[in-house]
Amino acid sequence: SINTAFAIRSAFGTFKIIDGAVPAFPPASGITVGGRRGNVITFPTGEVVVVGQSAFRKAGRLTVKLPATCCGNVAGLCGAYSPDADFTDVFTASTGGVGVYPKNRWGGPYGGAFQRDFAESWKLLPTDADAVFNNSECPMATVPAVYPVEPPLPFSGCPAGLEAQAKAQCPQGRLYDNCVTD
């Protein structure tokens, strides 16, 4: 799926970003919009939201940067931000359950239980009281959700010795893991 709409709730109201179109913010709010593409939103309290854009689509990803004052006060798809808990509560679902999901070769969890138990727990239907988007902005799927299958572990099903060979040939450094699993 491709995310084409996002909403930001703040003390200054709720703002919708649909197809990459960043809204006008109240002048007195102190919220600024910048960046080469006009896709970097900075709040006066230090939060920064970047709407991911590319030559191929106007929206698709969202990056949220939070100041230290947000520690212990974050929930949702961004994950809990609790250094005091050693970040063990990152994947706290809307139900309060905390999941532990294995990393995959891209560095984070994907599909399967992560999608079903964590990500989907934060999903709102257009008919929910807290929903920000109406049905025309975010139509409900007419088919049941199919969760992506978790990718196989690196080297599973490979000839014996291949993993050791890859580890020996890859240079040490910050990209070592990516090299080994490429």
Side-chain angles (χ1 to χ4, degrees):
S1 73
I2 298 171
N3 297 316
T4 58
F6 308 100
I8 302 169
R9 283 192 177 147
S10 76
F12 306 102
T14 299
F15 305 100
K16 297 179 185 181
I17 300 166
I18 301 174
D19 290 330
V22 176
F25 295 97
S29 69
I31 300 170
T32 60
V33 177
R36 197 173 80 235
R37 295 182 176 149
N39 62 329
V40 179
I41 304 163
T42 305
F43 289 80
T45 47
E47 299 87 351
V48 177
V49 176
V50 181
V51 179
Q53 298 177 332
S54 71
F56 305 106
R57 61 176 87 117
K58 293 181 182 176
R61 70 180 183 276
L62 191 70
T63 302
V64 179
K65 298 175 184 178
L66 302 170
T69 56
C70 292
C71 288
N73 295 311
V74 179
L77 289 177
C78 289
Y81 184 61
S82 306
D84 290 345
D86 199 26
F87 301 104
T88 56
D89 60 348
V90 168
F91 298 114
T92 302
S94 66
T95 59
V98 178
V100 177
Y101 307 102
K103 291 183 177 182
N104 64 33
R105 63 180 156 222
W106 298 285
Y110 171 83
F114 168 77
Q115 178 78 28
R116 182 188 62 243
D117 301 337
F118 172 70
E120 291 290 326
S121 81
W122 293 102
K123 178 180 180 178
L124 292 176
L125 300 175
T127 54
D128 289 340
D130 287 338
V132 175
F133 296 101
N134 60 43
N135 199 47
S136 66
E137 295 167 323
C138 185
M140 292 179 57
T142 56
V143 294
V146 176
Y147 303 111
V149 177
E150 293 181 31
L153 294 173
F155 301 102
S156 62
C158 291
L162 188 61
E163 182 175 5
Q165 184 181 358
K167 288 180 176 181
Q169 291 182 7
C170 286
Q172 294 293 319
R174 67 180 185 84
L175 299 177
Y176 176 76
D177 290 336
N178 288 345
C179 176
V180 168
T181 58
D182 245 355

